[in-house]
Amino acid sequence: MEPPGNDSTAEQIILRWDTTASEDARVRMIFEGDRQEVKRYLQAVDQILRSMNSSSLSDDQSKKVNNAVQIAMARLEDEFRTILIANSTPIETEPINESVSLTPRTTPRTSSCRSESPEKNDCGNGRKDESISRISSASFTDRNERSVTFASCRSMNSIREQDLLPPESISDLRCIAERMIAAGYFRECVQVYGSVRKSVVDGSLKKLGVEKLSIGDIQRLEWEALNAKIGRWIRAAKVCIRVLFASEKKLCKQIFEDLGTTAVDDACFMETVKAPANQLFNFAEAISISRRLPEKLFKILDLHDSLLDLLPDIDDVFDSKPAESIRIQAPEILSRLAEAARGMISEFENAVLREPSMVPVPGGTIHPLTRYVMNYISLISDYKQTLGELIISKPTTGSRHCDSTAPDMDFTDHEGQSPLALHLIWIITLLQFNLEGKSQHYKDNSLAHLFIMNNVHYIVQKIKGSSELREMIGDHYLRTLTRIFRQAATNHQRATWIGVLHCLRDEGLHSTGSFSSGVSKSALRARFKSFNVIFDEVHRTQALWLVPDEQLREELRISILEKLVPAYRSFLGRFRNHISENHIKYTVEDLENAVLDLFEGFAVSQHSRRRSH
């Protein structure tokens, strides 16, 4: 570029564009006009800057040159700001958001149900019991304005840079920056650039749903609101790191790289994105140090996985020395999120052990705690890859547990299973322990056994229904649980039917105690009466009891019939000729039909299935 003929000519060109001396200069911008005028002005600035370093200048000449330099720098600063503003619009977030979400760096770690809360993962759960609530408390541009679009993205692994400004604007900005830095106006150039571009980044963050909230503001949010914000943050963070911040870094390099003796591009980049990046990461940091409520676990893990996935990109984007504070912040937050997740597992274990509800559930059906805990465990299994990396020690049990009432457990039978699997087994053990305590609140022992049968059977079915959960729990422990619910079913039958079957014995019905002797009709009448009364009471009460699993209900009925019907048929065959039909209330068929009323959970007419006399 050839300079003007002499310093006087260069000074005149600069003074002609002095905004303090000319109305025309105030309303017109050099870089919006004739390109020849742009060329002449830059040549004049170059000439003045060379003169400034001349040792042959008199004091008067030196003052004039310095004054011209100040006027030129003020003008170039205005031009720089105007070009930036005219060509700066927030990114179009929607197509980018979708694309970034569809092209993750790593394979997704979870199944489709990960985002569901435990209480919503079982259609039969209904409204949570109050006791369970203690565990689970719980546009900047018009359409006509030019905007940066997804079409200008270039994929670079997971980084998706955009061309934020047109090439001609970048060239003009670089020309201006080069002269401002050469004149010693590095700080002014960086400040102007940072202030304009930061406002654009702030606008993009707002469009992405990233709010300006302090750590205190975030920690005071209700969980439902926070839950939604975490989901938005995860989507926004991917766009911010992989597109927004990466593109800003690229723009800084396009304008400032290799200008001056310092890393001007890195300085301008941090001037632009440091505050927005801190705003972005403050949210994750606030979550990582918030109260460790168990219901937060799965969103914490989503946050952890998202940040872990972004770590290589964060290292790439914030790789300079000035960006070190941002670069090291992410792993620190990740570490705190991991610790929070471990703490939430421990809190959940304690909550399962201490869940205090003492009012028996009607009919001995499945307790809301059982549904909640097993749905929670099922969701944990969906996160087994993440939690398998975070959970590295087995549970604390028995006397070593913080709660002296905790059961003891020997893990020697589970050698070879992961620490996470041991924690799941431990949670189920704590659930069983709690359920055993709740069963004691039933006044009827038979109903207490039915309650245990229903709940442990539900646990077994939930494990069998998830291949991942079954693999983690293991067939050995599954067989143990199966034995428990089958033993509870046996105990229920013994407690219920031993009295009924006792009425069908022969002892006490013969006059001399010999089968060949005469039958005592009074004793026989009394025996039939006792049978009818006891069976009627069993029928009346146990029709109200509930076995919600259809297959289990049928198996229980069949088991009862296999014991009751042969005994009754034999008794009836031996003695019906010795007593009036009026004393025989049930035929064998009536008895079979009556048993089919049991465990439906609603009252039936006492004689609805009995034959008409």
Side-chain angles (χ1 to χ4, degrees), residues 41-88:
Y41 191 84
L42 293 177
Q43 289 174 339
V45 172
D46 291 341
Q47 180 66 30
I48 291 295
L49 290 179
R50 283 193 295 270
S51 299
M52 185 175 64
N53 296 320
S54 173
S55 58
S56 61
L57 293 177
S58 65
D59 290 345
D60 186 56
Q61 289 174 322
S62 180
K63 288 179 181 180
K64 286 185 177 182
V65 168
N66 287 333
N67 182 57
V69 168
Q70 290 178 10
I71 293 171
M73 292 304 109
R75 182 73 209 198
L76 289 179
E77 183 177 318
D78 286 343
E79 296 285 338
F80 194 79
R81 181 184 294 105
T82 300
I83 296 170
L84 280 174
I85 293 173
N87 292 279
S88 296

Side-chain angles (χ1 to χ4, degrees), residues 112-123:
S112 60
C113 67
R114 278 180 58 155
S115 297
E116 296 181 15
S117 62
E119 64 270 20
K120 293 181 180 178
N121 196 31
D122 191 316
C123 60

Side-chain angles (χ1 to χ4, degrees), residues 135 292-298 344-345 347-348 351 372 376:
I135 295 180
R292 295 175 179 180
L293 299 175
E295 70 269 20
K296 294 182 179 180
L297 174 63
F298 305 107
M344 288 171 189
I345 293 286
E347 283 297 317
F348 184 70
Y372 185 82
Y376 196 94

Side-chain angles (χ1 to χ4, degrees), residues 327-552:
R327 187 172 64 253
I328 65 175
Q329 188 178 7
E332 291 173 351
I333 294 172
L334 194 67
S335 177
R336 286 193 291 270
L337 287 170
E339 184 58 36
R342 287 188 287 268
M344 288 171 189
I345 293 286
S346 179
E347 283 297 317
F348 184 70
E349 292 169 350
N350 292 332
V352 172
L353 174 64
R354 297 192 303 266
E355 199 282 320
S357 62
M358 294 185 292
V359 178
V361 291
T365 189
I366 300 164
H367 198 283
L369 176 65
T370 307
R371 292 187 186 275
Y372 185 82
V373 170
M374 291 311 299
N375 290 332
Y376 196 94
I377 286 176
S378 295
L379 287 173
I380 286 178
S381 70
D382 290 332
Y383 289 80
K384 68 176 184 179
Q385 181 178 343
T386 300
L387 283 171
E389 297 167 359
L390 301 184
I391 305 296
I392 57 175
S393 59
K394 65 182 183 181
T396 301
T397 67
S399 60
R400 294 173 296 149
H401 196 272
C402 60
D403 191 325
S404 60
T405 64
D408 204 354
M409 185 171 184
D410 185 2
F411 287 109
T412 55
D413 290 337
H414 304 282
E415 292 295 335
Q417 289 183 272
S418 68
L420 176 59
L422 296 181
H423 275 271
L424 297 186
I425 292 171
W426 176 236
I427 291 171
I428 295 173
T429 301
L430 293 173
L431 174 59
Q432 286 180 255
F433 184 78
N434 193 316
L435 292 172
E436 288 287 349
K438 295 184 190 308
S439 73
Q440 303 305 311
H441 297 295
Y442 288 102
K443 295 179 181 179
D444 189 324
N445 285 337
S446 180
L447 183 55
H449 293 309
L450 190 80
F451 171 76
I452 294 297
M453 180 199 72
N454 275 328
N455 283 269
V456 179
H457 177 266
Y458 179 84
I459 294 170
V460 169
Q461 292 306 109
K462 289 293 288 187
I463 295 171
K464 288 182 176 179
S466 167
S467 58
E468 290 188 338
L469 186 55
R470 182 168 187 167
E471 181 183 354
M472 295 177 71
I473 295 296
D475 288 339
H476 174 77
Y477 189 62
L478 191 59
R479 287 192 296 269
T480 299
L481 293 171
T482 301
R483 284 195 299 271
I484 291 172
F485 90 74
R486 292 198 181 282
Q487 184 60 51
T490 299
N491 293 341
H492 157 76
Q493 291 184 38
R494 286 174 179 169
T496 300
W497 297 104
I498 191 169
V500 177
L501 294 173
H502 190 69
C503 295
L504 302 179
R505 74 194 191 283
D506 290 347
E507 290 81 2
L509 295 180
H510 300 281
S511 298
T512 62
S514 169
F515 184 78
S516 60
S517 303
V519 174
S520 170
K521 292 185 177 181
S522 61
L524 189 58
R525 285 195 299 270
R527 188 65 64 80
F528 269 103
K529 182 179 180 180
S530 295
F531 175 85
N532 294 336
V533 169
I534 295 174
F535 186 81
D536 284 348
E537 179 62 18
V538 169
H539 179 260
R540 183 185 64 81
T541 58
Q542 298 204 14
L544 294 171
W545 297 357
L546 179 62
V547 178
D549 184 87
E550 183 178 356
Q551 182 178 346
L552 180 61

Side-chain angles (χ1 to χ4, degrees), residues 281-308:
F281 287 122
N282 277 350
F283 180 87
E285 182 174 4
I287 301 299
S288 73
I289 60 177
S290 62
R291 187 181 174 192
R292 295 175 179 180
L293 299 175
E295 70 269 20
K296 294 182 179 180
L297 174 63
F298 305 107
K299 278 298 183 181
I300 290 289
L301 293 175
D302 286 341
L303 202 58
H304 176 278
D305 279 1
S306 176
L307 193 55
L308 180 64

